[in-house]
Amino acid sequence: MQGADFINPLFKKTGVQSLLGVPLVVADTLIGVLHIGTLGQRHFAPPDIQFLQLVADRVAVAIDHARLFEAARTARADTEVAERMLQAQSE
């Protein structure tokens, strides 16, 4: 990984020699980066990049769905608390 502007210390510690990263994007918003690394020198070819991007696209959708599910669960719990409070006030 010579010439890299930014190297995570974990990559150096584990001996990663080649690194490929692709963006995790949801609705035109970057939510992270998916990396793969190898312990030996490797040139990542376009099919490698395309495949990792395909995986990243699916991971980004899964992350988004998990966030939406959690937001819905929280909203439902908040609604239940509010309903109980209203019921208690009307008694």
Side-chain angles (χ1 to χ4, degrees):
M1 294 190 344
Q2 295 175 338
D5 292 332
F6 172 79
I7 299 175
N8 183 317
L10 181 61
F11 296 142
K12 280 187 171 183
K13 183 178 177 181
T14 57
V16 171
Q17 295 292 310
S18 298
L19 182 67
L20 173 62
V22 294
L24 295 168
V25 178
V26 174
D28 296 325
T29 301
L30 179 67
I31 63 168
V33 177
L34 180 64
H35 293 105
I36 59 169
T38 63
L39 298 178
Q41 290 287 328
R42 177 185 170 137
H43 171 76
F44 292 101
D48 300 323
I49 299 166
Q50 292 166 351
F51 178 72
L52 188 60
Q53 187 62 64
L54 180 68
V55 171
D57 292 344
R58 285 175 170 71
V59 168
V61 168
I63 290 169
D64 190 47
H65 285 176
R67 287 178 176 172
L68 291 171
F69 179 81
E70 180 59 24
R73 189 195 65 75
T74 300
R76 186 171 36 254
D78 292 346
T79 300
E80 290 170 359
V81 168
E83 285 176 349
R84 284 194 297 271
M85 291 173 61
L86 284 173
Q87 286 175 350
Q89 287 178 355
S90 65
E91 293 176 354

